[in-house]
Amino acid sequence: MTLKMGVVGTGAIGREHIERITKRISGAEIVALSDIHQENAEQIIRDFKLDAQFFATDAELIAADVDAVIVSSWGPAHEETVLKAIEAGKYVFCEKPLATTAEGCKRIIDAEMKQGKRLLQVGFMRRYDAGYQMLKQALDAKEIGEPLMLSCQHFNPQVDENYTTDMAVVDTLIHEIDVLHWLVDDDYESIQVFYPKQTKNKLSHLKDPQIVHLVTKSGISIHAEIFVNCGYAYDIQCRVVGEDGILSLPEVSSLGIRKDAKRSENLLMDWKKRFMDAYDNEFNAFINAIEKTGSPSYPTAWDGYVAAVTADAGVKAQQSGEVEKIDLPETPDFYRI
Ligand code: NAP
């Protein structure tokens, strides 16, 4: 079976996903595109020689002959498109954020549960990164006993002037928020944000770097450094201290260079390259799970909701400087996969 996919939002990541579905993975084809900028979508149709139709609105695309919709427009537009797609009974791959508020995510969960089967997967691709999967397997096998403390860093070389202080949580930390509780199989209890000495390289309206302290229900302490104008590279690190040892996220493999009396390795500057395989893997999982089980894989809409509730508390913590509680209900059986 070939899954017929439509894409709503053909900007940076939409284009990447179209390329991977067209050139790198099998089991799906792009048959429909929609974007506010018609010329961008039509350029993509030409660039990838797609046999696909342009639709002026998401509603028309959803009503067309598509089995699944990729939602990769800007965040505030996600909820409306996702709800329309679920109501039409279409499968959805939604880029993060699922919705920009926890209430919006809850509306999506309610709509999906009303349909009686899971239709949606969220684009938190780190769960499909080989390094994070190695960490997960070792943690599940209790190779270092119980995890006690995690320390992570999410560093970007630089951000543009549209990047605001809250985006450090809702856009950047959001990936750690999703992947870390999955790694240790625990829910979050609280969050606090600190502002250490600030970099001279930041924009005047921005707080950078920021340190986030998350605590899980079982008491695991997570220290996350967010530094989005670090200059030197796109650098993602994660280290787990357990009762019996330490696990570290593997470094990205890179050519070793010995030259001019120096030994060196290049680091990545572009986030797209760091998680290239993970993006491919998440789409393979989406397509294969639908074919085998009739529903997509994880992360589910519930994971999108958990991330939104945690991010909301994180933004509150940025403003208050206090420890903010993260109130999450029990995961419904519908979302236990
Ligand atoms: P982008 O380059 O701005 O692309 C979004 C595109 O969607 C733009 O062409 C935008 O037009 C268009 N658009 C906005 N609202 C729309 C609507 N209602 N219907 C159709 N098209 C609409 O942004 P991006 O970097 O690709 O990001 C898109 C989404 O992916 C964001 O939610 C972002 O957080 C997420 N993302 C995820 C990752 C990841 O690692 N998983 C990485 C990057 C981005 P305008 O330019 O006029 O708004």
Side-chain angles (χ1 to χ4, degrees), residues 11-13 35-37 72-74 77-78 95-96 123 125 271 279:
I13 195 105
D35 195 282
I36 287 174
H37 306 286
S72 47
S73 53
W74 77 308
H78 289 186
E95 259 312 332
K96 60 89 183 162
M125 72 297 177
W271 56 267
Y279 292 122

Side-chain angles (χ1 to χ4, degrees), residues 307-326:
V309 171
T310 309
D312 283 355
V315 172
K316 204 166 156 200
Q318 283 181 315
Q319 290 155 3
S320 70
E322 303 293 324
V323 176
E324 298 293 345
K325 205 164 161 8
I326 298 165

